[in-house]
Coordinates of all heavy atoms in Angstrom, one line a residue:
Chain A
G150 N -1.3 23.4 -22.1 CA -1.9 24.4 -22.9 C -3.0 23.7 -23.8 O -3.2 22.5 -23.8
Y151 N -3.7 24.6 -24.6 CA -4.8 24.0 -25.5 C -4.2 23.5 -26.8 O -3.6 24.2 -27.6 CB -5.8 25.0 -25.7 CG -6.9 24.5 -26.6 CD1 -7.9 23.7 -26.1 CD2 -7.0 24.9 -28.0 CE1 -8.9 23.2 -26.9 CE2 -8.0 24.4 -28.8 CZ -9.0 23.5 -28.2 OH -10.0 23.1 -29.0
I152 N -4.3 22.1 -26.9 CA -3.8 21.5 -28.2 C -5.0 20.8 -28.8 O -5.5 19.9 -28.2 CB -2.7 20.6 -28.0 CG1 -1.4 21.4 -27.5 CG2 -2.3 19.8 -29.2 CD1 -0.6 20.6 -26.6
E153 N -5.5 21.2 -29.9 CA -6.8 20.8 -30.3 C -7.0 19.3 -30.5 O -7.9 18.7 -29.9 CB -7.2 21.5 -31.7 CG -8.7 21.7 -31.8 CD -9.1 22.1 -33.1 OE1 -8.3 22.7 -33.8 OE2 -10.3 21.9 -33.5
P154 N -6.1 18.6 -31.2 CA -6.4 17.1 -31.3 C -6.4 16.4 -30.0 O -7.2 15.5 -29.8 CB -5.2 16.7 -32.2 CG -4.5 17.9 -32.6 CD -4.9 19.0 -31.9
L155 N -5.5 16.8 -29.1 CA -5.4 16.2 -27.8 C -6.7 16.4 -27.0 O -7.3 15.5 -26.4 CB -4.2 16.8 -27.0 CG -2.9 16.1 -27.1 CD1 -1.9 16.7 -26.1 CD2 -3.0 14.6 -26.9
D156 N -7.1 17.7 -27.0 CA -8.3 18.1 -26.3 C -9.6 17.3 -26.9 O -10.4 16.8 -26.1 CB -8.5 19.6 -26.4 CG -9.5 20.1 -25.3 OD1 -9.0 20.0 -24.1 OD2 -10.6 20.4 -25.6
N157 N -9.6 17.2 -28.2 CA -10.7 16.5 -28.8 C -10.7 15.0 -28.4 O -11.7 14.5 -28.1 CB -10.5 16.5 -30.4 CG -11.0 17.8 -30.9 OD1 -11.6 18.6 -30.2 ND2 -10.7 18.1 -32.2
F158 N -9.5 14.5 -28.4 CA -9.4 13.1 -28.0 C -9.9 12.9 -26.5 O -10.6 11.9 -26.2 CB -7.9 12.6 -28.0 CG -7.8 11.2 -27.6 CD1 -8.1 10.1 -28.5 CD2 -7.3 10.8 -26.4 CE1 -8.0 8.8 -28.1 CE2 -7.1 9.5 -26.0 CZ -7.5 8.5 -26.9
G159 N -9.7 13.8 -25.7 CA -10.1 13.7 -24.3 C -11.6 14.0 -24.1 O -12.2 13.5 -23.1
H160 N -12.2 14.8 -25.0 CA -13.6 15.2 -24.7 C -14.6 14.9 -25.8 O -15.7 14.7 -25.6 CB -13.6 16.7 -24.4 CG -12.8 17.1 -23.2 ND1 -13.3 16.8 -21.9 CD2 -11.6 17.6 -23.0 CE1 -12.4 17.2 -21.0 NE2 -11.3 17.7 -21.7
M161 N -14.1 15.1 -27.1 CA -15.0 15.2 -28.2 C -15.8 13.9 -28.5 O -15.1 12.8 -28.6 CB -14.3 15.6 -29.5 CG -15.1 15.7 -30.7 SD -16.1 17.2 -30.5 CE -15.1 18.3 -31.5
P162 N -17.1 13.9 -28.5 CA -17.8 12.7 -28.9 C -17.9 12.5 -30.4 O -18.1 13.5 -31.1 CB -19.2 12.9 -28.2 CG -19.3 14.3 -27.9 CD -18.0 15.0 -28.1
I163 N -17.8 11.2 -30.8 CA -18.0 10.9 -32.2 C -19.2 10.0 -32.2 O -19.2 9.0 -31.5 CB -16.8 10.2 -32.9 CG1 -15.7 11.2 -33.0 CG2 -17.3 9.7 -34.2 CD1 -14.5 10.6 -33.7
L164 N -20.3 10.4 -32.9 CA -21.6 9.6 -32.8 C -22.0 9.5 -31.4 O -22.5 8.4 -30.9 CB -21.4 8.2 -33.4 CG -20.9 8.2 -34.9 CD1 -20.7 6.8 -35.3 CD2 -22.0 8.9 -35.8
G165 N -21.8 10.5 -30.6 CA -22.3 10.5 -29.2 C -21.3 9.8 -28.2 O -21.6 9.8 -27.0
I166 N -20.3 9.1 -28.7 CA -19.4 8.4 -27.8 C -18.1 9.1 -27.8 O -17.4 9.3 -28.8 CB -19.2 7.0 -28.3 CG1 -20.5 6.2 -28.3 CG2 -18.2 6.3 -27.4 CD1 -20.5 4.9 -29.1
P167 N -17.6 9.6 -26.6 CA -16.3 10.2 -26.5 C -15.2 9.4 -27.0 O -15.2 8.1 -26.8 CB -16.2 10.5 -25.0 CG -17.5 10.4 -24.5 CD -18.3 9.5 -25.3
M168 N -14.2 10.0 -27.7 CA -13.2 9.2 -28.4 C -12.4 8.3 -27.4 O -12.1 7.2 -27.7 CB -12.2 10.2 -29.1 CG -12.4 10.2 -30.6 SD -11.1 11.1 -31.3 CE -11.7 12.7 -31.4
C169 N -12.0 8.9 -26.2 CA -11.2 8.1 -25.4 C -11.9 6.9 -24.8 O -11.3 5.9 -24.6 CB -10.6 9.0 -24.2 SG -11.8 9.8 -23.2
F170 N -13.2 7.1 -24.7 CA -14.0 5.9 -24.2 C -14.1 4.8 -25.3 O -13.9 3.6 -25.0 CB -15.4 6.4 -23.8 CG -16.3 5.3 -23.2 CD1 -16.0 4.9 -21.9 CD2 -17.3 4.7 -23.9 CE1 -16.8 3.9 -21.3 CE2 -18.0 3.7 -23.3 CZ -17.8 3.3 -22.0
A171 N -14.2 5.3 -26.5 CA -14.2 4.3 -27.6 C -12.9 3.5 -27.7 O -12.9 2.3 -27.8 CB -14.5 5.0 -28.9
V172 N -11.8 4.3 -27.5 CA -10.5 3.6 -27.5 C -10.4 2.6 -26.4 O -9.9 1.5 -26.5 CB -9.3 4.7 -27.4 CG1 -8.0 4.0 -27.0 CG2 -9.2 5.5 -28.7
F173 N -10.9 3.0 -25.2 CA -10.9 2.1 -24.1 C -11.7 0.8 -24.4 O -11.2 -0.3 -24.1 CB -11.5 2.8 -22.8 CG -11.8 1.9 -21.7 CD1 -10.9 1.1 -21.1 CD2 -13.1 1.9 -21.3 CE1 -11.2 0.3 -20.0 CE2 -13.5 1.0 -20.2 CZ -12.5 0.2 -19.6
I174 N -12.9 1.0 -25.0 CA -13.7 -0.2 -25.2 C -13.0 -1.1 -26.3 O -12.9 -2.3 -26.1 CB -15.1 0.2 -25.8 CG1 -15.9 0.9 -24.6 CG2 -15.9 -1.0 -26.3 CD1 -16.1 0.1 -23.4
V175 N -12.4 -0.5 -27.3 CA -11.7 -1.3 -28.3 C -10.6 -2.1 -27.7 O -10.4 -3.3 -27.9 CB -11.1 -0.4 -29.4 CG1 -10.2 -1.1 -30.3 CG2 -12.3 0.2 -30.3
L176 N -9.8 -1.4 -26.8 CA -8.7 -2.1 -26.1 C -9.2 -3.2 -25.3 O -8.6 -4.3 -25.2 CB -7.9 -1.1 -25.3 CG -6.9 -0.2 -26.0 CD1 -6.3 0.8 -25.1 CD2 -5.8 -1.0 -26.7
A177 N -10.3 -2.9 -24.5 CA -10.8 -3.9 -23.7 C -11.3 -5.2 -24.4 O -11.0 -6.3 -24.0 CB -12.0 -3.4 -22.8
V178 N -11.9 -4.9 -25.6 CA -12.4 -6.0 -26.4 C -11.2 -6.9 -26.9 O -11.2 -8.1 -26.9 CB -13.2 -5.5 -27.6 CG1 -13.4 -6.6 -28.6 CG2 -14.5 -5.0 -27.2
I179 N -10.1 -6.2 -27.3 CA -8.9 -6.9 -27.8 C -8.4 -7.7 -26.7 O -8.1 -8.9 -26.8 CB -7.9 -5.9 -28.3 CG1 -8.4 -5.2 -29.6 CG2 -6.6 -6.6 -28.6 CD1 -7.5 -4.1 -30.1

Side-chain angles (χ1 to χ4, degrees):
Chain A
Y151 179 76
I152 295 149
E153 210 191 336
L155 272 187
D156 200 69
N157 281 349
F158 180 76
H160 297 281
M161 181 73 99
I163 291 182
L164 302 173
I166 300 166
M168 256 192 268
C169 59
F170 187 74
V172 166
F173 165 61
I174 293 297
V175 168
L176 282 176
V178 168
I179 292 174

